Amino acid sequence: MTPTAVPDVGTCEGCGAVLPVQDGPTHRYMASSAACWATFTGLSDPHRPLAGAAFDALIVDAYAAQHPGRPSPQTINSVAIHLMVLCGVLEHSFRPDQALWVRQRPGRPSRLPKHNRFHWLAPPAFTSILTVADVSRGETPARRSDLAEQWIREVWSTWAAAHRPQVENWFGRYVLSERV
Ligand SMILES: [Zn+2]
């Protein structure tokens, strides 16, 4: 008998998704397996779309927050900004379609120094919450969008349990405040 070929699987260092190993690109500073990054970019595949639900606008924020990478000026800034978007929508009644505005808001002209606004937040453990792989396995656009919203909420609540006061502080100072 010939043994059945079992594909090698690998665990994403960011979100913990277990996926068949594949070669391919990854993001410049978000730390993920190539398979996980391909799964994320696959959410934009027009042949296998999401449903166009409001929360679809936040998948990049959830992905970035679940793949924080290593401390560097870029990753510190990225994680802070994506967490502020999730905080704004899930805690402050911003609409998901305001996500771009929230992402850009900390970069507006201000008197505050641009550097060292944010600092590294030790990432929480993402064991047992949804990942992009779970979203991608949804069989229909509606199901994938439902899973995406659940994933987005779980990523935020996991981060919030560890760092809510700091993210709220940044959100108040760099997004809500008119006096910067
Ligand atoms: Zn991942």
Side-chain angles (χ1 to χ4, degrees), residues 121-147:
L121 303 177
F126 295 114
T127 45
S128 79
I129 74 165
L130 290 178
T131 70
V132 69
D134 298 305
V135 175
S136 173
R137 288 185 195 113
E139 289 176 354
T140 63
R143 180 65 182 144
R144 288 192 288 280
S145 279
D146 285 350
L147 287 164

Side-chain angles (χ1 to χ4, degrees), residues 12-17 19 31-33 36-37 63 66-67 131-132:
C12 175
E13 68 173 280
C15 67
L19 291 161
S32 75
S33 65
C36 183
W37 179 247
Y63 193 83
Q66 211 176 20
H67 297 84
T131 70
V132 69

Side-chain angles (χ1 to χ4, degrees), residues 36-60:
C36 183
W37 179 247
T39 303
F40 172 67
T41 58
L43 294 183
S44 307
D45 180 350
H47 300 293
R48 206 165 182 283
L50 298 173
F55 271 71
D56 293 356
L58 305 180
I59 60 173
V60 67

